[in-house]
Amino acid sequence: VTAIRDARKLALRFHLPTFLILSVITLGPLLYAVRISFYDFRLSNPSGERIFVGLKNYIELFTSRDAFVSIWTTFKFVFIVVTLEVILGIIIALSINTLPRVKRYIFTSFILIPMMVAPLVVGLMFSFFFNPQFGLYVFFVKVLHLPLPVALLNSPRTALFVVALTDVWEWTPYLALVFLAGLQSIPGESFEAAKVDGASDWQTFSRITIPLMSPIIFVGLILRAMEAFKEFDKPYILTGGGPGTATEVIDMYTYRQAFVSFNFSKAAAICMVLFIVLLLCGMLYGRFVLERNQNEL
Amino acid sequence: MKRGNFLRRVLLPILFLVLTASVLIVCKRNSQVETGGTGIKKFQGTVLHMIAEQQTPTEALEKQLGLFKAETGIEVILEMGPFDNVVQKITLAMQSGSDEYDIIATPYQFLGNLVVNNYIQPLEPLMNNPELRIIPDYKEDDLIKGMWDASGRWKNAVYGVSANSCIMHFAYRKDIFENPQEKAAFRTKYGYDLKVPLDWKTYQDIAEFFTRKAGATLAGERLNQDFFGVSMSGKRHDATTCEWLNYAWSFGGGIFDEKGNIIIGNAKNVAALEYYNNLKKYAPPGVSNKTWDEQTTEMQQGIAAMAIIFNDCLPALENPTESKVVGKMGYGAVPIGEKPAAHYGAWSYFIPTKSKHPEAAWVFLQWFNTPKIQKALALDGAFPNLVSTYMDPELNTLPYWEATMEAYKISTTRPRIPEWNSMNEELMLQISNVLAGQSTPAAALATAQQSFERLLAGQLPITYQ
């Protein structure tokens, strides 16, 4: 009992500085944001910081068409990126897994390059790439006489998909790496047994690989969904949320409320809702990982 | 780990870091204490912190700051960044009551917001203090009054001075407008002479006339890429509302009528937006994702015949290191509909209420508005605030100079009320919706009208903007 107590005290001592620092830089602003979300704090209304409006900002958020459109756009964006990234991530992981060790190391290093580029720079790179006059994309379309539109970011039908593709380019390698680690942790006996039983490649993939990888796929999916939900840089650089509201994800909507319309209370209310959604995802992830660890123990 | 070890290995290093950081901060602050002097060196040793958008005039100013330090002993630490970033930083600094900045640059449309929140201080107490008149060449009556009022005056007080006097121009490819073959072809097709458009009908005809596919001939030369009649902004961005407001005002519309009632949904504005939307078929593809930056590039690359664009983009068109159209451009006034209009879009310098060195900041603003500095900035691509600088013979050789002076005579300003940012945000969205084909001009502006009425509920009519 004394040893456990000492271990707990030691753990507390190690956690204390981090806890104090995080409290100051995270908890303080969070509590302030909670507070102002119940007030009418706008720059155009100087005394609004002291006017308590209860749930008005939250009600406005859930009844406003613009906010609804933005939330719906965010879900579409998350769905597109997570689906494509998971599928491509599995394909890349499977391909890399078949390579000999040296080639695997080289290839893995290469595919990590997009992840090392800042999201803002990714946005700028693709804005040049898709520039309808001078971009590389339009060059290929013209040279190869492809039956494709030249201004992809200007149509509400294609803009969101193109923004999502830039995210897929940047983050698929991350999932590929996670899935590769998952693949390599599957015991070789399972595949050998399937081979002995005469299972086809597809049967091995669908009955052994995917079920055994499902926990890691789920973890990757949750992590990417949480990140994609917070997407800001790429739509901001590529389209500014337009055309119209076609690519206005929730973080862009929040940014506009705070720094264009200067309605800080409404922006804080959106942040709170976003925080709760991400907290739920985090709890789901935490619970899943903890349960898995306990089962493994 | 024993208690002694924990203290030695964990807490002491943290304490050491905190103490070191505190000492450095105190030293930095002490270094900013005004050491003083006499005359023009009265504030010698002072360090001013300033933030402004990274644009040609600010970059030009940065080159002169060494001179300011040499003359006054005041050091200016200039922080530059993109538009949104600067607005964000200023907003956070003002809202948190920070004393970080001594001079801030914002577009004048923020003036109402800054004043009602008491974020900036009136300049009169500084202007009227004879002890602060230490810059010999500074003369208030040389400042262009209309420009100063628009960019710095709110009701009965002056809060700022113009940082960059941008105004919208008509810019066109003089070489192809004056080409005899093109002139003859235009006359044959439209029945009148090809000339600088003075009205919107001519503007549209010229846009249509010059829009050609690759392989066609332009001014006797075969085009190896598509050529377009006009370059326009259409992104959900300030650039789009800035450009479209020229059309709206000229068509007889605008935001408010003379009595201060909202008129954004009226027929004249709808006609202006229909015209704008129709014009995009003569522009390079992708209008709904373009701002003045892309317009400048399109004009520099010589793929469009004309544009309505801010004058601070014009030096880039005449820069031989980055433009293919140097010496080929002509400049004039925005075409006229019911009335002449040119969008005045200046940035202004303000002194925050929390500034640690307001007096030294005012000395800087005086120095900034001296003829010597204004001319140096103008030669580097900025647009001055002084009557005398506009008359300078050397500057009058710049190809866009005369057009700029003419444009000021018909300048029109956008509202500066605290709600304008929210209104502008709505207007950007509605114009973007129209250009993206998601709404009609009438429906979009009707929505804007409702939104404006909601934002200004209880305040109408707007008697001061």
Side-chain angles (χ1 to χ4, degrees):
Chain A
V1 176
T2 316
I4 292 171
R5 267 190 206 152
D6 283 349
R8 280 185 181 165
K9 276 183 184 172
L10 187 64
L12 189 67
R13 283 172 184 167
F14 277 113
H15 281 94
L16 197 63
T18 313
F19 178 75
L20 287 175
I21 292 167
L22 281 178
S23 300
V24 172
I25 63 172
T26 308
L27 209 58
L30 181 71
L31 291 175
Y32 180 69
V34 172
R35 182 186 171 274
I36 65 167
S37 72
F38 295 106
Y39 285 77
D40 188 23
F41 184 18
R42 288 173 285 140
L43 281 200
S44 55
N45 180 20
S47 56
E49 202 176 356
R50 294 184 294 276
I51 301 171
F52 183 77
V53 294
L55 292 171
K56 181 174 167 269
N57 291 313
Y58 290 92
I59 293 167
E60 261 183 31
L61 175 62
F62 288 109
T63 52
S64 142
R65 188 185 170 276
D66 291 350
F68 174 77
V69 168
S70 172
I71 291 168
W72 177 236
T73 305
T74 310
F75 276 111
K76 282 195 288 186
F77 177 80
V78 172
F79 177 76
I80 296 170
V81 300
V82 172
T83 308
L84 288 177
E85 285 170 15
V86 167
I87 293 171
L88 291 172
I90 291 172
I91 293 171
I92 294 171
L94 286 169
S95 311
I96 295 176
N97 201 36
T98 58
L99 294 173
R101 182 179 287 188
V102 177
K103 283 185 182 169
R104 191 160 66 212
Y105 288 156
I106 294 170
F107 197 74
T108 308
S109 310
F110 270 114
I111 66 161
L112 288 181
I113 292 172
M115 276 171 59
M116 296 174 197
V117 183
L120 200 76
V121 179
V122 174
L124 281 171
M125 271 168 47
F126 278 95
S127 74
F128 296 137
F129 181 79
F130 286 115
N131 184 298
Q133 274 75 54
F134 314 110
L136 200 59
Y137 165 77
V138 76
F139 172 77
F140 285 127
V141 168
K142 284 183 178 170
V143 167
L144 301 173
H145 299 286
L146 298 173
L148 293 170
V150 291
L152 287 176
L153 289 167
N154 298 276
S155 162
R157 288 182 196 156
T158 52
L160 186 67
F161 190 71
V162 173
V163 174
L165 278 185
T166 63
D167 193 81
V168 171
W169 178 84
E170 186 179 17
W171 289 109
T172 298
Y174 168 72
L175 284 189
L177 207 66
V178 171
F179 295 159
L180 183 64
L183 264 178
Q184 289 174 346
S185 68
I186 298 175
E189 295 87 353
S190 310
F191 295 111
E192 283 162 18
K195 206 172 182 181
V196 170
D197 291 345
S200 65
D201 286 350
W202 172 248
Q203 282 172 326
T204 309
F205 174 72
S206 60
R207 305 277 173 84
I208 295 176
T209 312
I210 291 295
L212 288 174
M213 274 185 68
S214 60
I216 200 88
I217 292 174
F218 181 71
V219 168
L221 192 143
I222 292 281
L223 284 177
R224 276 306 302 138
M226 284 165 72
E227 280 298 313
F229 216 84
K230 297 185 293 177
E231 183 59 54
F232 175 78
D233 309 67
K234 291 187 281 288
Y236 176 74
I237 294 289
L238 285 165
T239 60
T245 52
T247 57
E248 191 177 62
V249 289
I250 192 74
D251 260 19
M252 277 226 58
Y253 182 73
T254 313
Y255 171 83
R256 284 186 181 279
Q257 290 300 324
F259 293 109
V260 181
S261 296
F262 298 121
N263 190 339
F264 295 110
S265 287
K266 196 170 172 187
I270 304 166
C271 286
M272 286 306 110
V273 173
L274 198 61
F275 173 70
I276 290 165
V277 171
L278 293 175
L279 192 68
L280 290 174
C281 289
M283 284 165 70
L284 193 68
Y285 166 73
R287 192 175 164 184
F288 184 81
V289 171
L290 280 178
E291 273 182 7
R292 194 172 169 229
N293 287 346
Q294 277 170 359
N295 291 341
E296 280 171 3
L297 284 171
Chain B
M1 194 189 290
K2 287 182 179 175
R3 179 168 299 193
N5 284 346
F6 177 75
L7 274 173
R8 201 164 51 242
R9 292 185 186 174
V10 181
L11 285 185
L12 281 177
I14 291 174
L15 202 63
F16 175 75
L17 282 174
V18 171
L19 281 172
T20 313
S22 310
V23 169
L24 285 172
I25 290 167
V26 169
C27 287
K28 189 168 181 284
R29 284 194 168 256
N30 282 345
S31 73
Q32 295 174 9
V33 170
E34 294 167 26
T35 51
T38 54
I40 195 168
K41 299 268 187 186
K42 185 179 171 73
F43 297 100
Q44 184 166 15
T46 306
V47 179
L48 295 175
H49 291 264
M50 176 176 181
I51 183 166
E53 189 193 20
Q54 181 136 24
Q55 47 174 239
T56 309
T58 321
E59 285 166 354
L61 174 65
E62 192 181 30
K63 292 178 196 165
Q64 302 298 324
L65 293 178
L67 180 65
F68 179 62
K69 189 177 180 185
E71 288 180 3
T72 63
I74 301 171
E75 184 184 356
V76 177
I77 296 175
L78 174 60
E79 183 182 337
M80 287 193 277
F83 178 94
D84 293 333
N85 195 259
V86 167
V87 169
Q88 210 176 92
K89 280 190 170 178
I90 291 174
T91 308
L92 289 174
M94 297 298 108
Q95 191 264 322
S96 63
S98 161
D99 59 1
E100 191 178 351
Y101 298 115
D102 299 297
I103 300 162
I104 57 169
T106 73
Y108 68 75
Q109 70 198 48
F110 290 82
L111 181 57
N113 248 329
L114 293 168
V115 173
V116 297
N117 284 285
N118 196 28
Y119 289 158
I120 53 174
Q121 53 185 284
L123 297 183
E124 273 97 347
L126 300 164
M127 288 159 63
N128 297 333
N129 183 348
E131 289 180 12
L132 299 178
R133 291 198 169 263
I134 55 176
I135 301 292
D137 301 331
Y138 172 69
K139 291 187 183 71
E140 254 159 48
D141 54 8
D142 197 11
L143 284 155
I144 302 169
K145 191 176 179 305
M147 200 186 284
W148 194 10
D149 284 350
S151 55
R153 180 178 290 276
W154 183 257
K155 297 186 177 169
N156 296 320
V158 174
Y159 288 87
V161 300
S162 184
N164 176 33
S165 311
C166 340
I167 194 157
M168 281 212 153
H169 273 263
F170 166 67
Y172 68 103
R173 284 284 298 277
K174 199 173 175 180
D175 58 331
I176 60 171
F177 268 60
E178 290 178 354
N179 181 276
Q181 284 170 285
E182 296 297 341
K183 283 174 94 79
F186 187 88
R187 181 157 189 86
T188 308
K189 186 170 181 183
Y190 296 97
Y192 62 96
D193 286 335
L194 173 61
K195 57 180 191 259
V196 172
L198 298 176
D199 60 77
W200 293 109
K201 163 82 173 61
T202 312
Y203 189 74
Q204 186 163 330
D205 285 348
I206 296 173
E208 181 190 53
F209 175 70
F210 279 122
T211 303
R212 296 171 198 187
K213 290 281 175 199
T217 305
L218 178 72
E221 287 181 24
R222 192 172 175 276
L223 290 166
N224 55 16
Q225 61 178 329
D226 295 348
F227 190 80
F228 300 92
V230 66
S231 173
M232 314 163 55
S233 290
K235 192 172 182 174
R236 192 176 161 191
H237 189 273
D238 222 14
T240 301
T241 46
C242 281
E243 186 177 348
W244 178 74
L245 278 171
N246 287 287
Y247 297 71
W249 285 321
S250 175
F251 273 64
I255 310 295
F256 300 109
D257 63 13
E258 301 79 28
K259 291 177 184 166
N261 296 307
I262 300 163
I263 56 162
I264 192 68
N266 78 6
K268 289 175 179 175
N269 283 323
V270 171
L273 190 49
E274 274 169 357
Y275 180 92
Y276 197 65
N277 189 35
N278 191 41
L279 200 62
K280 75 170 191 258
K281 63 184 176 221
Y282 308 121
V287 166
S288 55
N289 207 24
K290 288 182 183 164
T291 68
W292 40 56
D293 292 332
E294 287 77 16
Q295 275 185 287
T296 307
T297 308
E298 286 170 359
M299 296 305 290
Q300 280 180 322
Q301 294 302 311
I303 64 163
M306 52 187 186
I308 290 169
I309 196 166
F310 272 120
N311 59 350
D312 60 353
C313 302
L314 305 183
L317 305 185
E318 300 293 344
N319 183 345
T321 60
E322 54 188 42
S323 173
K324 291 180 180 173
V325 294
V326 177
K328 295 178 180 175
M329 297 299 299
Y331 305 96
V334 174
I336 302 166
E338 257 186 40
K339 56 185 178 185
H343 193 153
Y344 178 64
W347 281 61
S348 310
Y349 287 137
F350 301 109
I351 302 176
T353 311
K354 301 274 182 181
S355 161
K356 292 191 289 284
H357 309 290
E359 295 183 334
W362 170 240
V363 170
F364 171 79
L365 294 183
Q366 290 177 65
W367 172 85
F368 172 75
N369 280 312
T370 55
K372 181 174 74 176
I373 299 306
Q374 287 287 304
K375 183 177 174 181
L377 299 178
L379 287 171
D380 228 354
F383 289 88
N385 300 335
L386 306 179
V387 177
S388 61
T389 314
Y390 273 105
M391 297 303 141
D392 188 283
E394 190 180 354
L395 292 171
N396 272 276
T397 58
L398 293 171
Y400 42 78
W401 208 250
E402 191 185 339
T404 289
M405 286 197 290
E406 289 302 309
Y408 286 130
K409 292 177 187 166
I410 54 166
S411 70
T412 314
T413 54
R414 56 190 184 272
R416 306 172 302 166
I417 53 175
E419 292 78 11
W420 172 247
N421 292 301
S422 302
M423 293 163 70
N424 193 26
E425 164 69 0
E426 178 68 26
L427 197 53
M428 284 179 213
L429 172 63
Q430 295 309 331
I431 298 174
S432 175
N433 276 336
V434 171
L435 295 174
Q438 290 187 304
S439 184
T440 62
L445 292 182
T447 308
Q449 175 88 22
Q450 286 169 2
S451 178
F452 286 10
E453 283 167 358
R454 199 172 54 248
L455 285 164
L456 295 172
Q459 297 181 58
L460 292 168
I462 298 295
T463 51
Y464 186 82
Q465 49 163 318

